[in-house]
Amino acid sequence: EIFDLVDALEKAEGPEVNFYSWMGVTQKTPKPEIERAFRKMSRTLHPDKNKGPKAQEKYARLSSIITILRDDAKRDRYNFFLKNGVPRWRGSAYLYRRHRPGFKTVVVFLFVLASGFQYLARYVSYLQEKRRMSGMI
């Protein structure tokens, strides 16, 4: 949840923005101050008050961020990743989303794979024919 939220915030607001800077607080800000910043931002970002094109998305992001910052364990985990960096690997699906092979790459890969299977089939056929011929001699 934290990783996806960090990626979404970076994509929407820029790479230098984190949860704290987006809300206008610091990492050492106590919970009551964070709650005040949340209420202030929610008044401006709420879809009923803000008719902007991405108001719903921003408000949903704000709600997810405050959920993380309210919980001490989640906040500590976020602070750890903020200090040490968010990992950029998340399994094969994440890697595939980052690197999508082009059409030519897929065609070349399939051609090489088919050629390999064809070579293997011919080699097996050769060995069988060799065995058959040696049995005749």
Side-chain angles (χ1 to χ4, degrees), residues 50-105:
N50 184 0
K51 301 296 182 190
K54 295 191 176 187
Q56 185 83 21
E57 181 182 320
K58 285 184 177 183
Y59 188 74
R61 188 178 310 125
L62 177 65
S63 298
S64 299
I65 287 173
I66 197 63
T67 302
I68 291 170
L69 296 182
R70 279 180 183 154
D71 185 9
D72 289 331
K74 288 181 181 179
R75 185 175 179 183
D76 289 341
R77 186 169 182 233
Y78 174 70
N79 288 339
F80 173 80
F81 288 118
L82 185 63
K83 178 183 174 190
N84 297 317
V86 177
R88 294 296 171 201
W89 54 270
R90 286 185 209 100
S92 60
Y94 184 78
L95 179 63
Y96 184 72
R97 279 187 285 183
R98 286 187 57 215
H99 174 71
R100 292 181 187 230
F103 179 73
K104 290 179 184 176
T105 306

Side-chain angles (χ1 to χ4, degrees), residues 8-68:
L9 186 65
E10 285 180 356
K11 185 184 281 186
E13 304 295 329
E16 298 299 318
V17 178
N18 60 39
F19 294 176
Y20 298 110
S21 64
W22 190 60
M23 290 184 64
V25 295
T26 64
Q27 194 170 350
K28 300 198 184 311
T29 304
K31 276 187 186 181
E33 291 291 324
I34 290 176
E35 288 290 334
R36 273 189 227 116
F38 166 70
R39 278 191 238 107
K40 183 179 177 184
M41 282 189 78
S42 67
R43 281 189 291 253
T44 59
L45 293 179
H46 196 279
D48 292 341
K49 304 237 179 190
N50 184 0
K51 301 296 182 190
K54 295 191 176 187
Q56 185 83 21
E57 181 182 320
K58 285 184 177 183
Y59 188 74
R61 188 178 310 125
L62 177 65
S63 298
S64 299
I65 287 173
I66 197 63
T67 302
I68 291 170

